[in-house]
Amino acid sequence: MTRIPGAPGTPGASGTAGATGRAAARPRHLVAVLAFDQVQLLDVTGPVEVFTTANAHGARYDVRIVSAAGADVRTSAGVRIGADSAADTLPGRLGTLVVPGRADWRQAVGNLTLTGTVEALAARSGRVASVCAGAFLLAEAGLLDGRRAATHWQLAAELAAAYPRVSVEPDPLFVRDGRVTTSAGVTAGIDLALALVEEDHGADLARAVARQLVVFMARPAGQSQFSARLVPREARHPALRQVMDAVGADPAAAHRMDDLARAAGVSPRHLGRLFRAETGLSPGQYAESVRLEAAQALLEAGNDAVDTVAEQAGFGSAESMRRAFQQSLGVAPTTYRARFRSTARVLDPAP
């Protein structure tokens, strides 16, 4: 049985190392992480590690792993997790409820005890968050009706079909709608938890936690779950894979439809049909998504002028790149670069 380092009942649970007197005077923020059999291990441990690490930098989170009846659970990885208590024995009002998921979401939502526990805990919580397939449990409890939500990209269509009152966004790492935040798959739970820490204590503390956990960066909410360059591995038709590889290898090239089709040995019309059938995008839209990703990487890596980044990424002009950023990410390139190390999604329309 695994006890999570920093959880109540283990060394370091108070998390007061490095805390100031002012921080120690603040009331503790109760975070309940709901565990159940066959839950994904990292869905639980990722957020727990973020919140408990934040305590070493001045936060005051009281993190409790709970199960419906207080029993220990066996995760999908076969690792047992010890529950601190039954869910209904938690004291008073909760600051945050975190609901992880399991790969077989139908089994989870079919467990009336589990969904009832989610509903009861959510009613006592200031804010509610889910990781990966945990969104299905929130949806089953009615917590996502009329809200936008994210989940693992492979499950997005299933969530939308099963719960039509939920506005599912398949791409973002996490989506915040009111008091409910839902995240994409597995490791995105770490990004979500960092965003909640930033909401409570500011970007500096969240970045300190990310550095201690050796997280590459605190990724913004609107960042895509997956790289456009990974899509060719999913393409079935060899001509489509060839074109995608060519675009990914040199985003700054012109990539005219006729040239791409000729190189792949198909007609432009057939290439367009292949793209739409397998990616849902036109060849031009796919090329722009790769260029956008290239521009993001260039902005993150250095201080090149926006005009230079636009040229290197293949946009042709800074204005074209700005429009692409605004449409896809809701931010201007300069804002993206300035706030790169923040988990917040910036809505500043400044050029």
Side-chain angles (χ1 to χ4, degrees):
M1 180 183 69
T2 298
R3 291 285 177 186
I4 307 301
T10 62
S14 64
T16 57
T20 65
R22 181 177 178 182
R26 290 197 302 264
R28 295 180 72 80
H29 180 116
L30 181 55
V31 178
V33 182
L34 181 60
F36 49 90
D37 281 334
Q38 293 306 302
V39 70
Q40 293 197 127
L41 179 61
L42 195 56
D43 284 11
V44 176
T45 58
V48 166
E49 197 66 47
V50 170
F51 287 118
T52 55
T53 301
N55 285 343
H57 296 274
R60 286 179 56 80
Y61 293 111
D62 181 1
V63 184
R64 312 282 185 94
I65 297 176
V66 300
S67 61
D72 298 344
V73 303
R74 185 177 293 277
T75 69
S76 59
V79 177
R80 292 183 67 85
I81 291 180
D84 295 303
S85 68
D88 61 5
T89 65
L90 287 170
R93 185 160 177 79
L94 313 181
T96 302
L97 169 65
V98 178
V99 179
R102 61 175 287 180
D104 186 352
W105 60 265
R106 293 178 181 83
Q107 289 290 327
V109 301
N111 184 328
L112 296 182
T113 299
L114 179 57
T115 55
T117 300
V118 171
E119 190 170 357
L121 289 176
R124 300 169 52 193
S125 301
R127 65 187 178 195
V128 178
S130 69
V131 182
C132 196
F136 287 88
L137 285 166
L138 297 192
E140 182 67 20
L143 296 165
L144 297 182
D145 288 352
R147 296 186 189 272
R148 297 176 299 113
T151 188
H152 192 290
W153 64 271
Q154 289 182 315
L155 298 175
E158 295 178 42
L159 180 61
Y163 301 96
R165 297 187 65 182
V166 181
S167 178
V168 180
E169 298 187 7
D171 196 36
L173 281 173
F174 55 92
V175 171
R176 181 180 291 140
D177 192 332
R179 73 183 187 104
V180 181
T181 306
T182 50
S183 84
V186 198
T187 59
I190 295 174
D191 298 283
L192 177 148
L194 284 167
L196 297 180
V197 168
E198 178 175 340
E199 180 180 297
D200 295 336
H201 300 285
D204 288 344
L205 193 147
R207 285 195 294 268
V209 173
R211 284 195 297 269
Q212 185 166 336
L213 295 180
V214 200
V215 177
F216 175 65
M217 67 174 184
R219 297 181 288 181
Q223 183 165 319
S224 177
Q225 290 187 38
F226 54 92
S227 166
R229 291 171 175 79
L230 297 180
V231 176
R233 301 178 184 177
E234 305 297 329
R236 296 183 296 273
H237 197 285
L240 189 59
R241 288 198 300 270
Q242 179 180 338
V243 169
M244 287 176 160
D245 286 340
V247 174
D250 187 7
H255 298 307
R256 298 179 181 86
M257 173 71 100
D258 289 347
D259 294 338
L260 292 173
R262 188 180 305 110
V266 296
S267 70
R269 179 177 296 181
H270 185 51
L271 182 61
R273 285 197 296 265
L274 287 175
F275 260 96
R276 288 186 174 85
E278 295 203 30
T279 71
L281 303 173
S282 69
Q285 289 171 328
Y286 177 77
E288 181 168 290
S289 72
V290 174
R291 288 169 179 150
L292 181 67
E293 187 176 298
Q296 287 176 269
L298 289 167
L299 290 169
E300 293 161 8
N303 295 312
D304 287 337
V306 170
D307 287 345
T308 302
V309 171
E311 181 180 353
Q312 292 176 341
F315 280 102
S317 71
E319 176 59 25
S320 295
M321 185 172 74
R322 188 192 67 80
R323 287 196 299 268
F325 266 72
Q326 290 284 10
Q327 182 175 356
S328 297
L329 302 176
V331 299
T334 51
T335 307
Y336 179 89
R337 178 170 58 195
R339 292 294 303 273
F340 166 66
R341 293 188 62 83
S342 170
T343 61
R345 180 169 184 172
V346 183
L347 299 178
D348 181 2

